[in-house]
Amino acid sequence: QVQLVESGGGLVQTGGSLRLSCLASERSFSTYAMGWFRQAPGKEREFVAAITWSGNRIDYADSVKGRFTISRDSTKNTVYLQMNILKVEDTAVYYCAASYSTTSLMEREQNNYWGQGTQVTVSS
C-alpha cells in the first residue's frame, strides 16, 4: 500500500511561517495530483491547496491565497506547503492527499490517499 507521510508541523506565533512536507512512498505518485487539507477541532475538513506533478495547475482555498505556496520536487517525490503570515485560524491538523487529478482530489475526497496528519498551532 502506498503511504504519504507529513512533517514540519509545530507551534508558531501569529505572523510566523512553517513549511510542511509530504513524502510519497512510491515513485508512481510522481504522476498524481497532490495537495493539502486541514481540520480544526469541531470543524469539517477543508481544502487548502493542490498541485499537479507537472505543475501546470495549482489551486488554493481563498482563505490562504497570497499567504501559502504549494510546490513539489519530483526527484524527491515530495510536495511542500510553505505557510507565511500565519493566523490563529490556521490552527489545524494538516493532511497530505493524493489523487489522479486536482479535480478528483478536491471533489472526491473519499477516493484520496491520505497521510496521517501533522499538527499546526498558531498562537497570538
Side-chain angles (χ1 to χ4, degrees):
Q1 180 69 269
V2 297
Q3 288 185 294
L4 303 173
V5 181
E6 305 97 332
S7 62
L11 175 64
V12 65
Q13 294 286 324
T14 298
S17 299
L18 285 173
R19 190 188 194 192
L20 306 183
S21 299
C22 175
L23 174 65
S25 63
E26 298 181 354
R27 285 194 171 275
S28 61
F29 274 78
S30 64
T31 63
Y32 277 57
M34 299 185 69
W36 296 90
F37 291 73
R38 66 187 182 187
Q39 186 170 24
K43 298 183 179 180
E44 297 294 321
R45 182 174 58 200
E46 64 175 341
F47 168 76
V48 176
I51 186 171
T52 62
W53 280 104
S54 66
N56 64 346
R57 178 180 174 180
I58 297 175
D59 294 88
Y60 294 101
D62 289 341
S63 60
V64 306
K65 287 181 179 178
R67 299 188 299 119
F68 290 12
T69 302
I70 189 170
S71 62
R72 82 293 179 201
D73 185 336
S74 59
T75 301
K76 298 180 179 180
N77 216 25
T78 301
V79 64
Y80 304 95
L81 185 68
Q82 179 67 47
M83 305 185 293
N84 299 324
I85 319 176
L86 283 162
K87 305 174 181 179
V88 172
E89 50 263 45
D90 294 319
T91 295
V93 177
Y94 283 70
Y95 296 93
C96 181
S99 191
Y100 286 104
S101 69
T102 52
T103 298
S104 178
L105 187 88
M106 293 184 288
E107 300 181 359
R108 298 184 179 182
E109 295 181 24
Q110 63 182 0
N111 296 326
N112 292 346
Y113 291 100
W114 295 99
Q116 295 300 306
T118 185
Q119 177 71 50
V120 172
T121 302
V122 184
S123 65
S124 60

